[in-house]
Amino acid sequence: MAALRVISVASTSTSFHCYPSVFTKFKSSPTWAISFSVTPLLCSRRAKRMAHSIARATLGLTHPNQIEAPKISFAAKEIDLVEWKGDILAVGATEKDLARDENSKFQNPILQKLDSKLGGLLSEASSEEDFSGKSGQSTVLRLPGLGSKRIALVGLGSSVSSTAAYRSLGEAVAAAAKSAQASNIAVALASTDGLSAESKLSSASAIVTGATLGIFEDNRFKSESKKPTLKSLDILGLGTGPEIEKKLKYAEDVCAGVIFCRELVNAPANVLTPAVLAEEAKKIASTYSDVLSANILNVEQCKELKMGSYLAVGEASANPPHFIHLCYKPTGGEIKKKLALVGKGLTFDSGGYNIKTGPGCLIELMKFDMGGSAAVLGAAKALGQIKPAGVEVHFIVAACENMISGTGMRPGDVVTASNGKTIEVNNTDAEGRLTLADALVYACNQGVEKIVDLATLTGACIVALGPSIAGVFTPSDDLAKEVAAASEVSGEKLWRMPLEESYWDTMKSGVADMVNTGGRQGGAIVAALFLKQFVDEKVQWMHIDLAGPVWNDKKKNATGFGVSTLVEWVLKNSTN
């Protein structure tokens, strides 16, 4: 990532079901264990480096635990809430739903009915708990008189219209289930007035997504951990039938990709090397071999394609680069669109000779510098399960490490990308854009019409947009609208940034076509302008800088950001 260190000169690149684990099991998927593929050794030096690569993958004798994925069933039901039997009945309520009459009784029919069944205890208890339905509020009450052991009230705010609100409801339910060690839970809304049939479907999907991701804990590297007890989740009052069942299955498939993405990013660099990332990509293709194929290029093959920019970054590491190309093709029907998803794949970024140092450099988190590639592979996993028609998708990752050694790239070196353009490296910590340069050229050569690349590229983007919003850069208004529409459905936050061409003046070199970093100001914009140099003008292209939302600093875990939006975008292209 161009240095996440926001105080540095130039925006160096950071260059950053239920459990489909990178190395675990999700439902019918086979159990995944770390494995290594040894390609034919072409020379003694290559042999030494590959042997070192395998040794490095077990550095510290650390292996992820094999965790059995819990099997959670989801169902949509139309039954009376007071008749439902299970551990927790959760009701999402807005501030309006909590309105009371002159006798301090609920006016909302559903809450009124529950309260009546409980002899007024629900209204009494919620008053004592000062529950008013505000967003973020929740309370779990153990009250006798219903089929459920507990009732959870979850605040939805003044009104409900967003995916985020319903997803938060699901997350709150998951938290309650963990705390109570619940096996069976149900979720209902206090009011569905004003919700269209489509809104009910999307609401149910968001609740399931929130609950699924909320119940997930990545315990692969802990010696002891609690196993989730949740077995089933019922959605009450939002309809039944094949349409909502399809929607819930879709949510489950997308969550599988998100969790896979999270586990890739969470995996430490001594476990997830470029070789292991390539193996995980191959396993996805093997699992969904009816629609996915894999082509992993080694160093010699990348040299044949003249990927000098990418290879220069990986030259210092004992773990050799692996160029990953998965291709999705539906089993039948006409291909109407050809798309490419390109992800930055730095499994560790030391900064190279411009080493990351000092407060705020985040070197200890640079395992997340492959967050873009994780989102791309998570999307591949989800799409392998969903199997959309009419669209061909290429998933491309130039995986490597940015390390320091006598063979490493130095400041002042000039490297040549596969489209012939030369780059003066004035900062080795702006390495992500160097790898993406060759990946974007490769993507264009696949004959695609649209490309979306994702990268933990700049600390400057975090400064501009904070930790929860990704920056979007594209010269195409049409593509911007498409991805924005997809993010509205996914609930992931994106913000379109300008591609100010005049800033390119800071990227001029006296000895090459360009340098790889400009001035400190506008660092995220300049990084996007750099990538633009490697995209065919006939191809619609978007760059997403997710350096901020890739990681949840409070939870100290990966977020899986990007997967949901990518899947939704591909599906929209499959139906156009």
Side-chain angles (χ1 to χ4, degrees):
M1 151 174 189
L4 271 183
R5 187 181 177 194
V6 299
I7 60 171
S8 65
V9 178
S11 133
T12 56
S13 74
T14 102
S15 297
F16 140 161
H17 164 262
C18 252
Y19 312 125
S21 154
V22 177
F23 321 116
T24 61
K25 183 177 180 183
F26 179 76
K27 293 201 168 177
S28 59
S29 302
T31 299
W32 295 346
I34 299 179
S35 60
F36 310 93
S37 63
V38 182
T39 53
L41 305 182
L42 301 176
C43 62
S44 59
R45 182 182 176 209
R46 172 75 173 150
K48 182 181 293 184
R49 292 185 65 181
M50 179 59 80
H52 201 166
S53 172
I54 293 173
R56 293 263 310 166
T58 57
L59 184 66
L61 304 181
T62 300
H63 294 277
N65 298 321
Q66 296 296 316
I67 299 175
E68 185 71 22
K71 295 177 174 60
I72 302 175
S73 63
F74 304 97
K77 298 178 179 179
E78 286 287 355
I79 61 173
D80 194 325
L81 268 61
V82 300
E83 301 298 326
W84 184 83
K85 290 181 173 58
D87 294 321
I88 300 175
L89 171 63
V91 181
T94 65
E95 292 177 47
K96 182 180 177 181
D97 295 328
L98 269 293
R100 303 179 186 238
D101 60 21
E102 63 276 7
N103 297 316
S104 297
K105 298 298 183 182
F106 294 120
Q107 294 180 354
N108 176 273
I110 289 179
L111 294 179
Q112 194 178 79
K113 186 173 184 178
L114 286 171
D115 196 35
S116 175
K117 183 74 173 179
L118 293 167
L121 286 175
L122 183 60
S123 58
E124 183 181 330
S126 61
S127 293
E128 291 177 357
E129 293 286 334
D130 196 25
F131 181 82
S132 60
K134 291 181 180 179
S135 179
Q137 278 191 323
S138 63
T139 183
V140 181
L141 309 168
R142 184 153 192 157
L143 301 174
L146 291 178
S148 59
K149 297 176 183 177
R150 294 174 176 84
I151 294 181
L153 294 177
V154 181
L156 298 175
S158 57
S159 62
V160 182
S161 58
S162 68
T163 299
Y166 293 117
R167 184 170 292 182
S168 295
L169 170 56
E171 290 171 352
V173 169
K178 284 181 184 178
S179 178
Q181 290 290 289
S183 298
N184 315 104
I185 60 177
V187 184
L189 300 180
S191 176
T192 58
D193 295 343
L195 288 182
S196 65
E198 182 60 34
S199 295
K200 288 182 179 180
L201 292 177
S202 60
S203 301
S205 175
I207 292 169
V208 165
T209 297
T212 303
L213 298 180
I215 208 73
F216 166 74
E217 291 183 3
D218 190 353
N219 295 320
R220 295 166 301 153
F221 299 99
K222 294 181 179 180
S223 57
E224 295 181 7
S225 60
K226 288 184 178 180
K227 292 182 179 179
T229 58
L230 187 61
K231 297 292 187 292
S232 69
L233 188 155
D234 294 336
I235 303 293
L236 308 181
L238 292 177
T240 59
E243 283 300 312
I244 194 167
E245 289 173 7
K246 181 180 178 182
K247 198 72 173 178
L248 297 185
K249 177 62 167 61
Y250 172 77
E252 192 177 351
D253 291 340
V254 173
C255 285
V258 173
I259 293 173
F260 180 70
C261 172
R262 287 183 178 183
E263 291 187 323
L264 285 173
V265 178
N266 284 338
N270 63 323
V271 171
L272 188 75
T273 63
V276 175
L277 186 63
E279 278 300 310
E280 293 303 319
K282 287 167 66 176
K283 288 173 188 175
I284 296 172
S286 176
T287 302
Y288 309 104
S289 58
D290 56 331
V291 290
L292 281 168
S293 59
N295 184 25
I296 311 298
L297 306 181
N298 61 27
V299 170
E300 294 303 316
Q301 291 169 313
C302 291
K303 285 181 180 178
E304 291 174 10
L305 295 175
K306 300 181 179 179
M307 295 183 178
S309 183
Y310 160 49
L311 292 175
V313 176
E315 190 63 34
S317 177
N319 295 312
H322 286 68
F323 192 94
I324 300 165
H325 178 199
L326 301 185
C327 181
Y328 170 89
K329 289 185 179 180
T331 52
E334 179 188 359
I335 301 294
K336 298 178 182 178
K337 298 283 179 63
K338 291 187 178 182
L339 313 174
L341 302 177
V342 179
K344 177 184 168 185
L346 268 291
T347 57
F348 188 77
D349 175 23
S350 70
Y353 278 106
N354 292 107
I355 190 169
K356 297 176 185 293
T357 58
C361 72
L362 301 185
I363 191 170
E364 74 281 3
L365 286 178
M366 281 302 110
K367 65 180 183 178
F368 75 31
D369 215 14
M370 39 64 66
S373 66
V376 166
L377 295 179
K381 179 177 178 63
L383 291 167
Q385 296 177 171
I386 297 167
K387 298 178 173 49
V391 63
E392 178 178 307
V393 189
H394 298 265
F395 308 88
I396 296 166
V397 174
C400 63
E401 290 180 332
N402 185 25
M403 302 298 286
I404 303 172
S405 77
T407 62
M409 176 177 66
R410 296 148 296 202
D413 283 357
V414 175
V415 300
T416 305
S418 48
N419 65 348
K421 292 188 177 183
T422 57
I423 306 156
E424 180 185 1
V425 180
N426 61 1
N427 190 327
T428 61
D429 194 25
E431 84 302 327
R433 65 197 72 182
L434 297 176
T435 67
L436 287 169
D438 283 325
L440 288 168
V441 173
Y442 183 92
C444 290
N445 289 339
Q446 306 310 306
V448 300
E449 303 157 56
K450 304 175 187 179
I451 298 174
V452 174
D453 80 67
L454 300 93
T456 49
L457 205 64
T458 67
C461 204
I462 304 177
V463 172
L465 297 176
S468 61
I469 304 172
V472 168
F473 304 81
T474 178
S476 170
D477 291 339
D478 290 340
L479 185 55
K481 290 175 182 176
E482 285 182 15
V483 176
S487 71
E488 284 292 323
V489 176
S490 72
E492 295 179 324
K493 296 178 181 179
L494 307 176
W495 190 262
R496 188 177 182 184
M497 303 283 278
L499 273 173
E500 178 54 55
E501 292 289 345
S502 66
Y503 290 5
W504 185 248
D505 289 344
T506 66
M507 300 293 283
K508 291 179 180 178
S509 166
V511 297
D513 294 333
M514 66 194 84
V515 292
N516 69 326
T517 63
R520 181 179 180 184
Q521 297 176 328
I525 297 172
V526 171
L529 288 171
F530 179 91
L531 298 180
K532 187 171 178 280
Q533 311 307 308
F534 303 92
V535 180
D536 192 307
E537 291 183 357
K538 297 177 182 178
V539 177
Q540 293 185 57
W541 160 76
M542 172 183 284
H543 162 58
I544 300 178
D545 191 331
L546 43 68
V550 73
W551 188 258
N552 186 317
D553 198 49
K554 183 178 180 180
K555 296 181 179 179
K556 302 186 186 306
N557 254 280
T559 62
F561 187 93
V563 174
S564 300
T565 298
L566 292 181
V567 173
E568 190 67 29
W569 177 65
V570 170
L571 261 64
K572 286 185 181 298
N573 274 273
S574 74
T575 56
N576 291 341

